[in-house]
Amino acid sequence: MESDLRQPAIDLTMTLRELLCHDHAWYHSGKRREPIYVEMGLPKIVQCVLANSSLRFIFLVRLMRRLWVGGFKKIAAIFRKVIFQLYGAEISYRAVIGPGIQFPHPQGIIIGGDTRIGKYVHIGQFCTIGGNVGKSDQFGREYPIIHDFVRIMVGSIVAGPVAIGLRSIVGPNSVIVKDVGPDTVMSVMPSAPIKVNGEKVVPLQKNSYFGSRVTMLEKELLKRQQPIQDGGSG
């Protein structure tokens, strides 16, 4: 259900080849938000992985996870180090990532602990998704739940036992420490100048005393600039 943010993302029940087919199809689907699957044989998968750095990263992450789940934990640890050396990314063995994941630029991504990521999720470079200083919810969960068709843009942080609802968007450089409902866009304020021609600029907030005072004076000035009607005096 869309309203149940604590419903966990799906587990990996597909074969590795099926997951990679979903990943490849979603990667080339643009901004369409619907399940995409293109059947591919092993030669085509190998060709796509070798030709595309992002798909190569996804393949290594998938393989690392499958090796760890299959009990080949020492080999999985080697692949984790390879991923870090090649991309500067840290992906937890325990993180569950659904089909159709999209990492357009996989550099500097951190996905920690028992994070659960649903289907057809987009994650930009230098994003951090993980715990928040040991904080946990009432169920003892410490890591985020990312639902289907979510987009997490460049440089964002999702920290703690939070959930991001279906089809939501986390704007660049946002920090998420509370639940986000379905179909929600989260974003920080745009940048503002702090120095112009060598002089500091002090922005006036509307909710501050001086900001309110300036707003009031501007309104008064506008009133005085209005044409004075002839009252017939003379």
PDB file of all heavy atoms in Angstrom, residues 3-4 20 56 59 70 79 92 97 103 120 129 138 156 165 167 188 205 215 223 225 231:
ATOM      1  N   SER A   3       0.336   4.096   1.353  1.00  0.00           N
ATOM      2  CA  SER A   3       0.354   4.809   2.627  1.00  0.00           C
ATOM      3  C   SER A   3       1.224   4.122   3.671  1.00  0.00           C
ATOM      4  O   SER A   3       1.558   4.712   4.684  1.00  0.00           O
ATOM      5  CB  SER A   3      -1.071   4.940   3.159  1.00  0.00           C
ATOM      6  OG  SER A   3      -1.638   3.654   3.351  1.00  0.00           O
ATOM      7  N   ASP A   4       1.581   2.881   3.418  1.00  0.00           N
ATOM      8  CA  ASP A   4       2.367   2.118   4.389  1.00  0.00           C
ATOM      9  C   ASP A   4       3.842   2.270   4.068  1.00  0.00           C
ATOM     10  O   ASP A   4       4.430   1.468   3.357  1.00  0.00           O
ATOM     11  CB  ASP A   4       1.951   0.639   4.356  1.00  0.00           C
ATOM     12  CG  ASP A   4       2.649  -0.167   5.446  1.00  0.00           C
ATOM     13  OD1 ASP A   4       3.337   0.451   6.286  1.00  0.00           O
ATOM     14  OD2 ASP A   4       2.508  -1.393   5.451  1.00  0.00           O
ATOM     15  N   LEU A  20      19.734  -8.101 -14.255  1.00  0.00           N
ATOM     16  CA  LEU A  20      20.532  -7.303 -15.175  1.00  0.00           C
ATOM     17  C   LEU A  20      19.720  -6.876 -16.392  1.00  0.00           C
ATOM     18  O   LEU A  20      19.936  -5.789 -16.939  1.00  0.00           O
ATOM     19  CB  LEU A  20      21.774  -8.096 -15.602  1.00  0.00           C
ATOM     20  CG  LEU A  20      22.794  -8.350 -14.480  1.00  0.00           C
ATOM     21  CD1 LEU A  20      23.885  -9.300 -14.964  1.00  0.00           C
ATOM     22  CD2 LEU A  20      23.399  -7.040 -13.993  1.00  0.00           C
ATOM     23  N   ARG A  56      28.369  -1.710 -15.659  1.00  0.00           N
ATOM     24  CA  ARG A  56      29.458  -2.512 -15.086  1.00  0.00           C
ATOM     25  C   ARG A  56      29.459  -2.396 -13.565  1.00  0.00           C
ATOM     26  O   ARG A  56      29.659  -3.387 -12.847  1.00  0.00           O
ATOM     27  CB  ARG A  56      30.791  -2.052 -15.669  1.00  0.00           C
ATOM     28  CG  ARG A  56      31.958  -2.957 -15.367  1.00  0.00           C
ATOM     29  CD  ARG A  56      33.069  -2.821 -16.381  1.00  0.00           C
ATOM     30  NE  ARG A  56      33.537  -1.446 -16.545  1.00  0.00           N
ATOM     31  CZ  ARG A  56      33.389  -0.739 -17.667  1.00  0.00           C
ATOM     32  NH1 ARG A  56      32.760  -1.257 -18.709  1.00  0.00           N
ATOM     33  NH2 ARG A  56      33.862   0.485 -17.750  1.00  0.00           N
ATOM     34  N   PHE A  59      26.554  -4.434 -12.254  1.00  0.00           N
ATOM     35  CA  PHE A  59      26.880  -5.863 -12.322  1.00  0.00           C
ATOM     36  C   PHE A  59      27.762  -6.279 -11.150  1.00  0.00           C
ATOM     37  O   PHE A  59      27.522  -7.318 -10.512  1.00  0.00           O
ATOM     38  CB  PHE A  59      27.580  -6.181 -13.643  1.00  0.00           C
ATOM     39  CG  PHE A  59      28.177  -7.560 -13.694  1.00  0.00           C
ATOM     40  CD1 PHE A  59      27.370  -8.669 -13.878  1.00  0.00           C
ATOM     41  CD2 PHE A  59      29.547  -7.749 -13.550  1.00  0.00           C
ATOM     42  CE1 PHE A  59      27.921  -9.946 -13.930  1.00  0.00           C
ATOM     43  CE2 PHE A  59      30.097  -9.010 -13.589  1.00  0.00           C
ATOM     44  CZ  PHE A  59      29.277 -10.113 -13.779  1.00  0.00           C
ATOM     45  N   GLY A  70      25.153 -16.228  -1.025  1.00  0.00           N
ATOM     46  CA  GLY A  70      25.447 -17.633  -1.306  1.00  0.00           C
ATOM     47  C   GLY A  70      26.501 -18.240  -0.398  1.00  0.00           C
ATOM     48  O   GLY A  70      26.829 -19.426  -0.543  1.00  0.00           O
ATOM     49  N   PHE A  79      35.293  -8.425  -4.060  1.00  0.00           N
ATOM     50  CA  PHE A  79      34.550  -7.609  -5.007  1.00  0.00           C
ATOM     51  C   PHE A  79      34.184  -6.258  -4.408  1.00  0.00           C
ATOM     52  O   PHE A  79      34.156  -5.242  -5.113  1.00  0.00           O
ATOM     53  CB  PHE A  79      33.289  -8.350  -5.464  1.00  0.00           C
ATOM     54  CG  PHE A  79      33.519  -9.269  -6.631  1.00  0.00           C
ATOM     55  CD1 PHE A  79      33.796 -10.605  -6.429  1.00  0.00           C
ATOM     56  CD2 PHE A  79      33.487  -8.781  -7.921  1.00  0.00           C
ATOM     57  CE1 PHE A  79      34.015 -11.448  -7.499  1.00  0.00           C
ATOM     58  CE2 PHE A  79      33.707  -9.618  -9.009  1.00  0.00           C
ATOM     59  CZ  PHE A  79      33.976 -10.955  -8.797  1.00  0.00           C
ATOM     60  N   SER A  92      26.975  -1.903   1.028  1.00  0.00           N
ATOM     61  CA  SER A  92      26.898  -2.959   2.034  1.00  0.00           C
ATOM     62  C   SER A  92      26.480  -4.287   1.405  1.00  0.00           C
ATOM     63  O   SER A  92      25.654  -4.313   0.482  1.00  0.00           O
ATOM     64  CB  SER A  92      25.889  -2.570   3.120  1.00  0.00           C
ATOM     65  OG  SER A  92      25.635  -3.653   3.991  1.00  0.00           O
ATOM     66  N   ILE A  97      18.704  -4.385  -3.015  1.00  0.00           N
ATOM     67  CA  ILE A  97      18.458  -3.466  -4.126  1.00  0.00           C
ATOM     68  C   ILE A  97      17.593  -4.166  -5.154  1.00  0.00           C
ATOM     69  O   ILE A  97      17.990  -5.179  -5.736  1.00  0.00           O
ATOM     70  CB  ILE A  97      19.782  -2.993  -4.764  1.00  0.00           C
ATOM     71  CG1 ILE A  97      20.662  -2.307  -3.709  1.00  0.00           C
ATOM     72  CG2 ILE A  97      19.503  -2.061  -5.930  1.00  0.00           C
ATOM     73  CD1 ILE A  97      22.032  -1.906  -4.220  1.00  0.00           C
ATOM     74  N   PHE A 103      22.263   3.906 -11.640  1.00  0.00           N
ATOM     75  CA  PHE A 103      23.348   4.740 -11.127  1.00  0.00           C
ATOM     76  C   PHE A 103      23.996   5.430 -12.333  1.00  0.00           C
ATOM     77  O   PHE A 103      24.989   4.923 -12.874  1.00  0.00           O
ATOM     78  CB  PHE A 103      24.399   3.911 -10.393  1.00  0.00           C
ATOM     79  CG  PHE A 103      23.906   3.184  -9.174  1.00  0.00           C
ATOM     80  CD1 PHE A 103      23.688   1.812  -9.205  1.00  0.00           C
ATOM     81  CD2 PHE A 103      23.673   3.856  -7.992  1.00  0.00           C
ATOM     82  CE1 PHE A 103      23.255   1.125  -8.085  1.00  0.00           C
ATOM     83  CE2 PHE A 103      23.237   3.178  -6.861  1.00  0.00           C
ATOM     84  CZ  PHE A 103      23.026   1.819  -6.907  1.00  0.00           C
ATOM     85  N   TYR A 120      13.212   0.123  -9.699  1.00  0.00           N
ATOM     86  CA  TYR A 120      13.336   1.254 -10.619  1.00  0.00           C
ATOM     87  C   TYR A 120      13.639   2.557  -9.890  1.00  0.00           C
ATOM     88  O   TYR A 120      12.933   3.559 -10.037  1.00  0.00           O
ATOM     89  CB  TYR A 120      12.068   1.378 -11.473  1.00  0.00           C
ATOM     90  CG  TYR A 120      11.682   0.065 -12.100  1.00  0.00           C
ATOM     91  CD1 TYR A 120      10.583  -0.655 -11.637  1.00  0.00           C
ATOM     92  CD2 TYR A 120      12.451  -0.484 -13.114  1.00  0.00           C
ATOM     93  CE1 TYR A 120      10.253  -1.885 -12.191  1.00  0.00           C
ATOM     94  CE2 TYR A 120      12.126  -1.716 -13.675  1.00  0.00           C
ATOM     95  CZ  TYR A 120      11.028  -2.407 -13.210  1.00  0.00           C
ATOM     96  OH  TYR A 120      10.709  -3.627 -13.736  1.00  0.00           O
ATOM     97  N   ILE A 129      23.349   6.876   1.715  1.00  0.00           N
ATOM     98  CA  ILE A 129      22.112   6.290   2.229  1.00  0.00           C
ATOM     99  C   ILE A 129      22.514   5.310   3.324  1.00  0.00           C
ATOM    100  O   ILE A 129      23.142   4.283   3.044  1.00  0.00           O
ATOM    101  CB  ILE A 129      21.332   5.564   1.111  1.00  0.00           C
ATOM    102  CG1 ILE A 129      21.047   6.529  -0.049  1.00  0.00           C
ATOM    103  CG2 ILE A 129      20.033   4.991   1.653  1.00  0.00           C
ATOM    104  CD1 ILE A 129      20.418   5.862  -1.248  1.00  0.00           C
ATOM    105  N   GLN A 138      10.636   2.131  16.063  1.00  0.00           N
ATOM    106  CA  GLN A 138      10.002   1.266  17.057  1.00  0.00           C
ATOM    107  C   GLN A 138      10.165  -0.217  16.753  1.00  0.00           C
ATOM    108  O   GLN A 138       9.978  -1.067  17.610  1.00  0.00           O
ATOM    109  CB  GLN A 138       8.516   1.599  17.137  1.00  0.00           C
ATOM    110  CG  GLN A 138       7.783   1.467  15.813  1.00  0.00           C
ATOM    111  CD  GLN A 138       6.325   1.838  15.916  1.00  0.00           C
ATOM    112  OE1 GLN A 138       5.744   1.761  17.004  1.00  0.00           O
ATOM    113  NE2 GLN A 138       5.725   2.255  14.817  1.00  0.00           N
ATOM    114  N   SER A 156      22.862  13.963  -2.280  1.00  0.00           N
ATOM    115  CA  SER A 156      21.864  13.915  -1.219  1.00  0.00           C
ATOM    116  C   SER A 156      22.237  12.912  -0.131  1.00  0.00           C
ATOM    117  O   SER A 156      23.011  11.981  -0.364  1.00  0.00           O
ATOM    118  CB  SER A 156      20.489  13.564  -1.795  1.00  0.00           C
ATOM    119  OG  SER A 156      20.045  14.576  -2.669  1.00  0.00           O
ATOM    120  N   GLY A 165       8.614   7.495   0.123  1.00  0.00           N
ATOM    121  CA  GLY A 165       7.458   6.887  -0.519  1.00  0.00           C
ATOM    122  C   GLY A 165       7.565   6.808  -2.032  1.00  0.00           C
ATOM    123  O   GLY A 165       8.456   7.387  -2.660  1.00  0.00           O
ATOM    124  N   ARG A 167       7.497   7.088  -5.912  1.00  0.00           N
ATOM    125  CA  ARG A 167       7.586   8.134  -6.932  1.00  0.00           C
ATOM    126  C   ARG A 167       8.048   9.484  -6.391  1.00  0.00           C
ATOM    127  O   ARG A 167       7.886  10.506  -7.051  1.00  0.00           O
ATOM    128  CB  ARG A 167       6.243   8.307  -7.658  1.00  0.00           C
ATOM    129  CG  ARG A 167       5.783   7.081  -8.422  1.00  0.00           C
ATOM    130  CD  ARG A 167       4.420   7.299  -9.049  1.00  0.00           C
ATOM    131  NE  ARG A 167       3.410   7.584  -8.046  1.00  0.00           N
ATOM    132  CZ  ARG A 167       2.710   6.646  -7.395  1.00  0.00           C
ATOM    133  NH1 ARG A 167       2.912   5.369  -7.668  1.00  0.00           N
ATOM    134  NH2 ARG A 167       1.825   6.982  -6.482  1.00  0.00           N
ATOM    135  N   VAL A 188      16.295  21.551  -1.176  1.00  0.00           N
ATOM    136  CA  VAL A 188      16.807  22.652  -0.368  1.00  0.00           C
ATOM    137  C   VAL A 188      16.566  23.957  -1.109  1.00  0.00           C
ATOM    138  O   VAL A 188      16.248  23.969  -2.294  1.00  0.00           O
ATOM    139  CB  VAL A 188      18.318  22.476  -0.088  1.00  0.00           C
ATOM    140  CG1 VAL A 188      18.566  21.240   0.731  1.00  0.00           C
ATOM    141  CG2 VAL A 188      19.104  22.395  -1.399  1.00  0.00           C
ATOM    142  N   GLN A 205      15.550  37.905   5.674  1.00  0.00           N
ATOM    143  CA  GLN A 205      14.483  36.916   5.673  1.00  0.00           C
ATOM    144  C   GLN A 205      13.145  37.576   5.972  1.00  0.00           C
ATOM    145  O   GLN A 205      13.043  38.484   6.792  1.00  0.00           O
ATOM    146  CB  GLN A 205      14.774  35.833   6.730  1.00  0.00           C
ATOM    147  CG  GLN A 205      16.103  35.126   6.534  1.00  0.00           C
ATOM    148  CD  GLN A 205      16.121  34.303   5.258  1.00  0.00           C
ATOM    149  OE1 GLN A 205      15.081  33.861   4.793  1.00  0.00           O
ATOM    150  NE2 GLN A 205      17.298  34.104   4.700  1.00  0.00           N
ATOM    151  N   THR A 215       9.688  45.011   4.303  1.00  0.00           N
ATOM    152  CA  THR A 215       8.474  44.730   3.542  1.00  0.00           C
ATOM    153  C   THR A 215       7.394  45.765   3.815  1.00  0.00           C
ATOM    154  O   THR A 215       6.717  46.237   2.899  1.00  0.00           O
ATOM    155  CB  THR A 215       7.953  43.316   3.884  1.00  0.00           C
ATOM    156  OG1 THR A 215       8.969  42.361   3.586  1.00  0.00           O
ATOM    157  CG2 THR A 215       6.713  42.983   3.068  1.00  0.00           C
ATOM    158  N   LYS A 223       2.341  52.966  -1.734  1.00  0.00           N
ATOM    159  CA  LYS A 223       1.121  53.740  -1.537  1.00  0.00           C
ATOM    160  C   LYS A 223       1.361  55.219  -1.825  1.00  0.00           C
ATOM    161  O   LYS A 223       0.546  55.903  -2.442  1.00  0.00           O
ATOM    162  CB  LYS A 223       0.619  53.571  -0.109  1.00  0.00           C
ATOM    163  CG  LYS A 223       0.018  52.201   0.187  1.00  0.00           C
ATOM    164  CD  LYS A 223      -0.471  52.154   1.616  1.00  0.00           C
ATOM    165  CE  LYS A 223      -1.072  50.776   1.945  1.00  0.00           C
ATOM    166  NZ  LYS A 223      -1.544  50.694   3.352  1.00  0.00           N
ATOM    167  N   GLN A 225       3.539  56.502  -3.783  1.00  0.00           N
ATOM    168  CA  GLN A 225       3.841  56.755  -5.187  1.00  0.00           C
ATOM    169  C   GLN A 225       2.598  56.730  -6.062  1.00  0.00           C
ATOM    170  O   GLN A 225       2.655  57.104  -7.232  1.00  0.00           O
ATOM    171  CB  GLN A 225       4.845  55.707  -5.695  1.00  0.00           C
ATOM    172  CG  GLN A 225       6.245  55.894  -5.158  1.00  0.00           C
ATOM    173  CD  GLN A 225       7.189  54.821  -5.638  1.00  0.00           C
ATOM    174  OE1 GLN A 225       6.750  53.779  -6.120  1.00  0.00           O
ATOM    175  NE2 GLN A 225       8.478  55.062  -5.484  1.00  0.00           N
ATOM    176  N   GLY A 231      -9.097  66.178  -4.578  1.00  0.00           N
ATOM    177  CA  GLY A 231     -10.234  66.175  -3.672  1.00  0.00           C
ATOM    178  C   GLY A 231     -11.141  67.386  -3.842  1.00  0.00           C
ATOM    179  O   GLY A 231     -12.096  67.555  -3.092  1.00  0.00           O
TER     180      GLY A 231
END
